Amino acid sequence: MTQITIALTKGRILKETLPLLKKIGLEPVDDVFTSRKLLFPTNQENIRILILRGSDVPTYVQFGKADIGIAGKDGLLEHQGDGYYEPLDLGIARCKLMTAAPVGYQPTDGKLRVATKYTKVAREYYAQQGRQIDLIKLYGAMELAPIMDLADEIVDIVDTGNTLKANGLEAREMITEISSRVIVNKASMKTKFPEIKDILSALEAAVSS
Ligand code: AMP
């Protein structure tokens, strides 16, 4: 029996992914939210699930340690790896990747200080705009950077905008719309095609129903 490993992104994306997997008849045997395990068997003998940080999902799929991954487009853009296809947009965990600045802030002509965890995306975006920046890599709480005068702007995920508002910031420019995508290891797509095709078709039907 051909074994299939699926890497899922923990947190918000997982909450929206599990109902989708249930719809296609796939369920982890343990409660993934309370268990401390990271590798779960499922109700289908040949399918197992890994629960990872979003930024690690493309790495596991790229190296073929997971055949299929589900991850936010933000993480995939930042990863910029190859070794996998991105065949399906699940349309879940939608949000926007945006620039944001303190309410009313007007950038001056000098170099803009930009704090973000999305350094690759930000570098490309500001370069396209022809704007000179100093990038400051942060791993969380980007909203704090302008308050503490560590940065002039941030690049971050915006959903309702409440987090920005609570910190005196406002969204400025939209870089791209984000949703969760299915990625598939390129070699697995060939060697495990029937199994992977079945899962992709079922997911496609589930998201469009
Ligand atoms: P909000 O206050 O609703 O604009 O949410 C903003 C914060 O929630 C961001 O700083 C993100 O860390 C997180 N967030 C919201 N939506 C998503 C998503 N779809 N994927 C990942 N993180 C998200």
Side-chain angles (χ1 to χ4, degrees):
M1 197 184 277
T2 306
Q3 282 296 319
I4 298 287
T5 304
I6 304 180
L8 302 182
T9 298
K10 66 180 173 189
R12 187 181 304 240
I13 295 177
L14 187 62
K15 285 203 192 90
E16 296 189 41
T17 305
L18 287 181
L20 214 51
L21 294 182
K22 198 170 175 184
K23 249 184 170 178
I24 70 165
L26 186 62
E27 283 181 82
V29 293
D30 286 303
D31 182 346
V32 295
F33 294 110
T34 54
S35 170
R36 288 180 174 254
K37 284 203 293 191
L38 303 167
L39 177 58
F40 296 88
T42 69
N43 59 337
Q44 296 189 28
E45 213 184 328
N46 65 324
I47 303 182
R48 59 185 184 164
I49 283 174
L50 304 177
I51 309 281
L52 303 172
R53 278 182 77 108
S55 45
D56 292 336
V57 169
T59 306
Y60 272 78
V61 175
Q62 179 174 357
F63 288 100
K65 301 307 163 195
D67 304 292
I68 295 175
I70 294 179
K73 182 69 181 174
D74 52 328
L76 297 178
L77 285 171
E78 194 58 25
H79 184 76
Q80 289 183 353
D82 52 12
Y84 54 80
Y85 301 111
E86 191 189 304
L88 185 61
D89 182 349
L90 293 175
I92 58 171
R94 285 179 188 275
C95 55
K96 299 181 178 79
L97 194 58
M98 302 194 72
T99 69
V103 175
Y105 169 77
Q106 289 301 328
T108 49
D109 281 343
K111 260 190 176 177
L112 201 62
R113 296 169 303 158
V114 178
T116 186
K117 68 175 177 184
Y118 300 104
T119 50
K120 287 182 188 161
V121 175
R123 190 170 283 122
E124 253 172 47
Y125 176 75
Y126 286 99
Q128 272 170 15
Q129 307 285 313
R131 282 150 77 188
Q132 292 252 312
I133 60 163
D134 278 326
L135 263 183
I136 299 154
K137 167 94 185 184
L138 290 178
Y139 292 87
M142 267 80 84
E143 304 81 15
L144 192 57
I147 296 175
M148 300 308 292
D149 193 32
L150 178 64
D152 306 305
E153 286 196 1
I154 62 170
V155 168
D156 198 7
I157 295 286
V158 181
D159 181 16
T160 60
N162 289 340
T163 307
L164 293 180
K165 204 171 167 193
N167 291 288
L169 303 178
E170 61 188 7
R172 291 283 171 95
E173 294 152 29
M174 177 150 91
I175 299 177
T176 185
E177 299 209 40
I178 302 294
S179 55
S180 296
R181 312 295 166 96
V182 178
I183 58 173
V184 178
N185 174 267
K186 283 186 177 171
S188 303
M189 190 68 120
K190 290 199 184 80
T191 57
K192 303 180 179 181
F193 184 73
E195 292 79 11
I196 289 177
K197 183 79 180 61
D198 280 353
I199 294 170
L200 288 177
S201 304
L203 280 174
E204 200 170 359
V207 293
S208 57
S209 68

